[in-house]
Amino acid sequence: MTDLTKDKIIEQARVLFIQQGYEKVSMRGIAKVLGCSHGALYYHFKNKASLFSEVLDYYFHELNSIINRIMQQKDTDKVHDLLLEFIRFGLDHPHQYELMFLLKSEEMDSLMQRPATDSFIRFEAAVREAGGVDPQNGEIYSIFLALHGFVSLHLHRVENFDAAADAAEIHVEFLRKTI
């Protein structure tokens, strides 16, 4: 493959990480699907962990884009929308959500910490701006944990967000009352 690019490698890796999970994907497996030598991948990525880090950055960028879009809306309950859209993201993208928030790997913990922390800071700032919550008292983190718990409970138990939309709305309204 003469036109092997970093973006092509990341795109294929995203698919394989979703299909097989982090532990089962190898650089050789990615190279085989791409039709190149595994050595060609190392030109762009130091190892599988650094490639996975790029994939995580992509997913967190998607989530942050949703937060940014909501914050640009006019005349809406932005806090409600932020909470509901977080749940929608998780349930409509269950495999990505697992890779972002539920993967337990000593090797990955340090790689996942930066994009997850950056995304939480963006979420915290958005909720603070939209709802006037004081982030020093831990309320926003508790709200995030409640959202994460809802998504984790329903992940792979429902087909997508629409299957849990009524329960999600009730959950968000309950959380909304705390802000």
Side-chain angles (χ1 to χ4, degrees):
M1 173 176 276
T2 59
D3 57 343
L4 183 66
T5 66
K6 188 174 182 179
D7 288 338
K8 285 184 181 181
I9 296 167
I10 291 170
E11 182 59 35
Q12 188 58 60
R14 285 179 51 222
V15 171
L16 292 175
F17 285 132
I18 288 170
Q19 290 174 344
Q20 301 175 17
Y22 175 77
E23 297 298 332
K24 292 183 181 175
V25 172
S26 68
M27 294 295 267
R28 286 185 189 275
I30 295 168
K32 182 177 180 181
V33 172
L34 288 169
C36 66
S37 72
H38 70 280
L41 300 181
Y42 290 104
Y43 175 78
H44 296 283
F45 300 97
K46 180 177 155 184
N47 53 33
K48 180 174 84 166
S50 66
L51 173 55
F52 185 71
S53 179
E54 295 273 344
V55 170
L56 281 179
D57 284 346
Y58 179 85
Y59 295 146
F60 279 107
H61 177 74
E62 281 186 67
L63 183 58
N64 292 339
S65 294
I66 292 168
I67 294 169
N68 293 338
R69 178 182 45 82
I70 291 168
M71 294 309 294
Q72 293 173 2
Q73 294 174 358
K74 303 284 187 227
D75 301 323
T76 64
D77 182 348
K78 291 178 185 176
V79 172
H80 172 273
D81 293 350
L82 285 165
L83 304 183
L84 198 62
E85 290 304 310
F86 182 89
I87 293 172
R88 181 185 309 275
F89 177 84
L91 296 181
D92 282 347
H93 304 92
H95 300 291
Q96 291 90 327
Y97 192 87
E98 280 182 318
L99 293 173
M100 293 166 71
F101 294 106
L102 299 173
L103 180 65
K104 302 292 181 227
S105 167
E106 202 171 299
E107 178 184 18
M108 297 314 307
D109 283 346
S110 63
L111 293 174
M112 293 168 64
Q113 190 172 9
R114 181 199 45 80
T117 299
D118 291 348
S119 190
F120 176 76
I121 289 169
R122 178 66 191 117
F123 174 80
E124 179 182 57
V127 172
R128 183 181 58 237
E129 178 184 329
V133 178
D134 177 9
Q136 302 304 315
N137 63 16
E139 285 178 337
I140 295 175
Y141 185 65
S142 294
I143 289 166
F144 173 80
L145 290 177
L147 293 171
H148 177 64
F150 184 94
V151 173
S152 297
L153 178 66
H154 290 85
L155 207 62
H156 301 300
R157 289 189 176 93
V158 297
E159 188 175 326
N160 56 30
F161 172 80
D162 291 339
D166 292 341
E169 186 65 44
I170 291 167
H171 189 64
V172 165
E173 285 304 315
F174 173 77
L175 293 174
R176 185 68 182 98
K177 291 176 186 175
T178 67
I179 299 174

